[in-house]
Amino acid sequence: MTVIPQGRIRRAALLSACCALAVTGLTGCSSEDPDAGTNGVGKLTAPQIQAKTLKAAESADAVQLSGSVATSGRTYRIDMKLKSDGAMGSVTAEGATFRLLRVDEQLFLMADAGFWSDGDAKADEEAAAKLDGKYVKVPRNDPSYKKFIGFTEMDVLLEGLLTLHGKVETDGRHEQSGVRTVRISGDQGSGGTLDVSLEGTPYPLRLVRGGGAGTLTFSSWGKGFALEEPKKDETVDYGQQLPTS
């Protein structure tokens, strides 16, 4: 007769118990590592995650930013491709949409006739019609240059947006566009939340700003794109100071 050691009996019983628990959905005996196959950021503290994702964003060559930003009583809908030497995309505010193109320091704006005309005079409407769908070069000394250039500056936008207020803590594992993320939040969400990629470089992927100040997604990190000034037949000289309203 074969005698089975008591240690084997106990191990077999423990294994059976674990299997039974797994069947009922209690997987406490599982040895699966939730960070397996990730970049390991999920193991860090919230401040460490925040530092790593900000460093990753700062070192990137390009990014696409989409979503809404509420500031100074206005809400802007943004869809911009950004890199250090330029940007291209669109901004919508108060029902008006305009396109922005920056090549180095040259800034161009394209909008429909309604954007350029206040509707007070026929002559004004006729002039606005000539600008409809054309790129207008914004003079660097024009007040509008300072107003619009901020939408095209990658470093400025990221520095101003990627901010959480209050005590920063981790807020579980999530997913953004099929990518696994770890979420960090400020003041339990009231100070904003930021989803950070658990795959590859720990780039920020989704930001919910505190106080209902908008939600933004970040994609195409490090993916460059071509920029060139519009052709002459696509450009019109406004001939006077651009509207600032």
Side-chain angles (χ1 to χ4, degrees):
M1 181 178 67
T2 302
V3 179
I4 301 176
Q6 290 298 312
R8 290 188 181 181
I9 295 175
R10 287 194 293 271
R11 286 196 294 272
L14 180 61
L15 179 59
S16 297
C18 281
C19 291
L21 288 173
V23 170
T24 61
L26 301 176
T27 56
C29 296
S30 173
S31 61
E32 182 179 351
D33 182 1
D35 291 296
T38 73
N39 54 25
V41 169
K43 298 179 180 179
L44 304 179
T45 65
Q48 289 173 327
I49 295 171
Q50 185 178 35
K52 273 192 170 292
T53 196
L54 290 178
K55 183 176 180 180
E58 291 171 358
S59 63
D61 297 327
V63 66
Q64 181 166 355
L65 185 157
S66 303
S68 61
V69 175
T71 181
S72 302
R74 292 187 177 184
T75 298
Y76 298 89
R77 179 73 188 176
I78 303 173
D79 187 5
M80 296 292 300
K81 288 184 177 181
L82 306 157
K83 58 181 181 176
S84 60
D85 61 349
M88 59 189 297
S90 65
V91 177
T92 300
E94 298 183 343
T97 298
F98 53 91
R99 295 192 61 79
L100 290 171
L101 170 64
R102 179 172 69 85
V103 182
D104 293 324
E105 298 301 316
Q106 302 299 326
L107 179 64
F108 300 87
L109 187 153
M110 177 191 288
D112 61 20
F115 178 87
W116 300 110
S117 174
D118 57 19
D120 290 340
K122 182 177 180 180
D124 179 61
E125 292 180 3
E126 292 176 350
K130 295 179 180 179
L131 301 175
D132 183 23
K134 296 287 187 178
Y135 279 106
V136 175
K137 185 175 181 179
V138 184
R140 292 194 65 183
N141 60 353
D142 191 287
S144 293
Y145 186 92
K146 184 177 181 180
K147 175 181 178 180
F148 294 127
I149 196 71
F151 290 110
T152 71
E153 296 179 316
M154 179 176 171
D155 292 344
V156 173
L157 273 177
L158 294 180
E159 182 179 352
L161 293 173
L162 292 177
T163 302
L164 298 176
H165 302 284
K167 184 179 179 181
V168 181
E169 300 176 301
T170 55
D171 191 15
R173 306 298 180 90
H174 300 269
E175 186 177 290
Q176 176 63 31
S177 300
V179 178
R180 289 175 293 173
T181 67
V182 58
R183 181 173 297 170
I184 55 177
S185 65
D187 278 347
Q188 297 183 334
S190 63
T193 65
L194 184 64
D195 280 36
V196 178
S197 176
L198 284 172
E199 302 176 18
T201 305
Y203 289 124
L205 297 184
R206 183 175 185 268
L207 170 71
V208 178
R209 304 182 73 208
T215 299
L216 295 160
T217 59
F218 306 86
S219 60
S220 301
W221 284 104
K223 296 182 180 180
F225 54 94
L227 282 172
E228 60 180 19
E229 294 188 15
K231 299 176 182 178
K232 288 185 177 181
D233 61 358
E234 299 174 329
T235 309
V236 175
D237 182 4
Y238 189 80
Q240 56 181 309
Q241 183 176 325
L242 273 63
T244 57
S245 60

